[in-house]
Amino acid sequence: MAIDSTLPNFRSLSPQERLAHICKAVGLDDAQYSQLAKPGALPLETANGMIENVIGTFELPMAVAGYFQINGKDVIVPMAVEEPSIVAAASFMAKLARVSGGFQTSSTGPLMRAQVQVVGVSDPYGARLAILKHKDELIALANSRDKVLIGLGGGCRDIEVHVFPDTPRGPMIVAHLIVDVRDAMGANTVNTMAESIAGRVEQITGAKVRLRILSNLADLRLARASVRYTADTLATKEYSGEEVIDGVIDAYLFAAIDPYRAATHNKGIMNGIDPVIVATGNDWRAVEAGAHAYATRSGHYTSLTTWEKAQNGDLVGTIEMPMPVGLVGGATKTHPLARLALKIMDVKSAQELGEIAVAVGLAQNMGALRALATEGIQRGHMTLHARNIALGAGATGSDVDWVVKKMISSADFRTDFALEVLQRPRDA
């Protein structure tokens, strides 16, 4: 079914009304509606089977970002996150992007690396060639451990060998198994393959294998997105579109040259990506690790995005980064809401999910840069954060909206001020 990702006046609806709209838009049934409508969607017995020492479950707000159009397809994006303004900023930037066709995405194949560390080798370059001589044998051995993956068209594709001739413990070599993991994240698969060849690598090299583990720097599994904004769509009451574009580019260049700024800049990108990863039951820590490692690939920690001015004056943004996500295995399969999140997005492959995630990251980055380059980050963020402050001050029921209104009108978002407002008569 064709999905309409535009969500006009969505913020003014109640949570129940929003859920009813989404269920109708993406075709969720009554049972799926109930899972989303009620707390405790993750049964305790299921949680107990997922990790150790379970004593309960922990819930995050689950929202949807609207207006996303990716490769011509409308996508409603579930996001699980606790921080205000993230969903609003991503949705607004997606809405503005629709004027120029939304987001264009692409990705590489789902290739992951497994590393096999070899120590105690006196002739590392000779050992490297010995391993490569037996490459076909080692690939076949690795593939013998996962017939299901082979049947799906995946499997170990290649072996690289990296030489570290001078370490404090002597020469070291590291063999990389390059594995097509299809629609899995792939950690368990590649770890099993790495362990399966360890003994044979020791026989070939006459040395000792130590670690056999995946790398979270998934630099062969990249997702990319690009977006274009016209000056007209970026204009505000206080700033022309051209001024906004120049401000965004200056802000991006700050992150490109300064690692102190790049760390916060990239955190803003991950503000968009991580909630998608969490909502779909994927490993957000692996995605974070790969993202920040990839940001240092030039030897200098820098921005994961680029922003530049096209010949016609439009603002063009791009992102490319590792995206090791899956649709099968782990919490993606065991958590009921993770499965619903995937259904809401109507994703058909892990690559498509990765492309959606980086598009959201690019939109989130644009939202932050636009705010920083114009009114400052606090004005919009604190307005949305006001409800959290009111709740933290003890406001309940209709008092929440009243306290929020007073904080916004006074531009005072301190907890002390919220407490003071709660002590006043309602007409004060």
Side-chain angles (χ1 to χ4, degrees):
M1 62 181 292
I3 293 174
D4 180 3
S5 67
T6 61
L7 303 174
N9 302 315
F10 210 60
R11 187 179 172 190
S12 65
L13 302 178
S14 69
Q16 293 78 13
E17 291 170 330
R18 294 180 196 134
L19 178 55
H21 177 94
I22 294 300
C23 286
K24 183 178 180 181
V26 302
L28 299 185
D29 59 29
D30 290 345
Q32 292 165 332
Y33 172 92
S34 296
Q35 281 186 316
L36 285 164
K38 300 175 183 177
L42 177 64
L44 190 60
E45 57 270 23
T46 302
N48 192 47
M50 294 170 68
I51 62 170
E52 310 78 37
N53 296 348
V54 168
I55 59 171
T57 59
F58 182 89
E59 291 188 306
L60 284 171
M62 189 167 181
V64 290
Y67 296 96
F68 274 89
Q69 190 177 70
I70 300 175
N71 297 335
K73 172 186 173 183
D74 274 26
V75 181
I76 295 173
V77 185
M79 302 177 75
V81 66
E82 85 296 343
E83 185 175 334
S85 79
I86 288 175
V87 178
S91 297
F92 184 56
M93 290 300 104
K95 183 178 182 179
L96 297 186
R98 293 176 76 93
V99 174
S100 300
F103 298 83
Q104 304 302 313
T105 66
S106 63
S107 55
T108 63
L111 297 177
M112 296 292 288
R113 295 179 184 268
Q115 295 182 289
V116 179
Q117 177 196 29
V118 186
V119 299
V121 55
S122 59
D123 57 337
Y125 292 100
R128 172 180 178 270
L129 292 188
I131 291 174
L132 292 177
K133 179 180 178 181
H134 292 84
K135 182 173 73 173
D136 290 344
E137 174 195 348
L138 292 170
I139 289 174
L141 180 58
N143 283 335
S144 70
R145 300 306 300 268
D146 199 329
K147 297 298 185 183
V148 173
L149 180 63
I150 302 303
L152 293 171
C156 185
R157 297 283 187 251
D158 198 5
I159 293 179
E160 302 173 353
V161 184
H162 301 250
V163 176
F164 301 90
D166 185 19
T167 82
R169 296 275 288 171
M172 181 188 303
I173 61 174
V174 182
H176 287 203
L177 278 67
I178 311 301
V179 184
D180 182 337
V181 296
R182 298 285 80 198
D183 282 329
M185 184 274 182
N188 291 332
T189 294
V190 299
N191 289 344
T192 299
M193 288 186 174
E195 292 179 356
S196 72
I197 71 165
R200 184 63 181 126
V201 168
E202 288 184 337
Q203 292 174 353
I204 291 168
T205 61
K208 176 68 177 176
V209 167
R210 292 289 193 200
L211 271 62
R212 296 140 289 168
I213 185 70
L214 89 160
S215 170
N216 284 126
L217 178 52
D219 58 353
L220 298 177
R221 193 177 189 177
L222 303 176
R224 316 177 188 94
S226 64
V227 68
R228 178 181 290 259
Y229 294 98
T230 66
D232 288 345
T233 61
L234 294 177
T236 70
K237 292 180 180 179
E238 296 87 7
Y239 298 89
S240 70
E242 289 77 12
E243 288 176 314
V244 174
I245 288 173
D246 286 342
V248 167
I249 292 173
D250 284 342
Y252 150 68
L253 289 173
F254 183 9
I257 64 174
D258 181 5
Y260 289 94
R261 171 61 202 145
T264 310
H265 175 97
N266 288 341
K267 187 267 182 182
I269 295 168
M270 302 312 292
N271 274 350
I273 292 173
D274 284 345
V276 180
I277 304 305
V278 172
T280 58
N282 273 279
D283 187 346
W284 60 267
R285 299 160 305 279
V287 175
E288 282 272 354
H292 296 296
Y294 193 71
T296 66
R297 65 193 183 281
S298 65
H300 166 85
Y301 186 83
T302 188
S303 169
L304 287 165
T305 57
T306 64
W307 294 94
E308 53 196 346
K309 191 181 296 187
Q311 190 170 11
N312 68 350
D314 288 352
L315 178 67
V316 178
T318 64
I319 185 171
E320 179 181 65
M321 58 177 282
M323 194 49 61
V325 295
L327 302 187
V328 297
T332 305
K333 278 295 185 185
T334 57
H335 199 303
L337 294 191
R339 296 196 297 273
L340 286 185
L342 293 171
K343 179 174 176 58
I344 289 170
M345 284 187 284
D346 189 33
V347 292
K348 298 297 191 293
S349 69
Q351 286 177 249
E352 185 182 5
L353 174 59
E355 291 174 18
I356 291 171
V358 293
V360 177
L362 187 59
Q364 188 67 35
N365 184 225
M366 176 57 189
L369 294 183
R370 176 180 174 274
L372 286 166
T374 55
E375 63 193 21
I377 201 70
Q378 287 298 82
R379 179 176 165 185
H381 176 76
M382 292 308 293
T383 297
L384 293 170
H385 189 45
R387 293 187 66 83
N388 274 348
I389 297 171
L391 290 167
T396 58
S398 62
D399 283 345
V400 175
D401 289 335
W402 178 62
V403 174
V404 167
K405 183 178 178 181
K406 291 293 184 182
M407 284 192 287
I408 292 173
S409 64
S410 302
D412 191 334
F413 300 98
R414 295 174 299 115
T415 301
D416 288 350
F417 180 72
L419 289 167
E420 177 189 326
V421 171
L422 280 171
Q423 303 304 315
R424 300 176 187 171
R426 284 292 294 263
D427 57 354

